[in-house]
Amino acid sequence: TRSLPYASLDSGLVFERESGSQGQRRLTLEPRALYLYTPFREQSTLPLFDTGLPDLNLVQLYRTNRYVGADRVNDANQLAFGLTSRLFDAHSGTQYLAVSVGQAYYFEKPRVVLPNETPSTRDTSDFIAQVSLTAYKNWNLEAGIQWNPEDTRSERSQFRLQYRPQNDRVVNLGYR
């Protein structure tokens, strides 16, 4: 058995205002910040069964453990910050556009690593950005990028086109 304390403070705000010539749209600005502290505990002697390191995305940016699986718990002293803006129809609530960006800042570099994982030497995570657009009726477009500011290059990008002819049917076409 093992026990490992952690502390997190997750906060966000939603600012919204009417938009459009007749107030038919609603525009939001949604900042979010997560501070996470988990002390270092040596775990290299514990067996590793199914734990992995997922791709960095907007969901992963706000998780309290950077690993998926129960075999490792990361140490952390970090602040993740993101900003989302959405455009809605004021009457129906239909979302037309969502734009999100985010990045994590490390006050201490993580020391817990998986076998064959290179320890990070950076003070920040990669920069994450995502755009979702309701293109026309049942058509949606989504694009995302993971940008490495240190090497000034894209680590990952993805594009997705979705068609929903009915509530119980969907066709997705994606490129990653």
Side-chain angles (χ1 to χ4, degrees), residues 40-42 66-67 74-76 108-114 119-120:
F40 172 77
R41 297 291 191 266
E42 180 60 49
R66 78 173 187 265
Y67 298 114
N74 68 286
D75 56 316
E108 296 175 22
K109 292 170 183 61
R111 296 178 7 196
V112 174
V113 292
L114 297 175
S120 176

Side-chain angles (χ1 to χ4, degrees), residues 40-86:
F40 172 77
R41 297 291 191 266
E42 180 60 49
Q43 301 171 58
S44 62
T45 59
L46 297 174
L48 188 66
F49 295 105
D50 63 353
T51 294
L53 189 62
D55 293 343
L56 182 62
N57 56 41
L58 287 168
V59 173
Q60 185 67 22
L61 193 65
Y62 299 108
R63 288 178 48 113
T64 56
N65 189 1
R66 78 173 187 265
Y67 298 114
V68 175
D71 303 325
R72 294 290 184 274
V73 177
N74 68 286
D75 56 316
N77 186 4
Q78 67 186 49
L79 176 66
F81 181 77
L83 187 64
T84 298
S85 182
R86 302 176 203 270

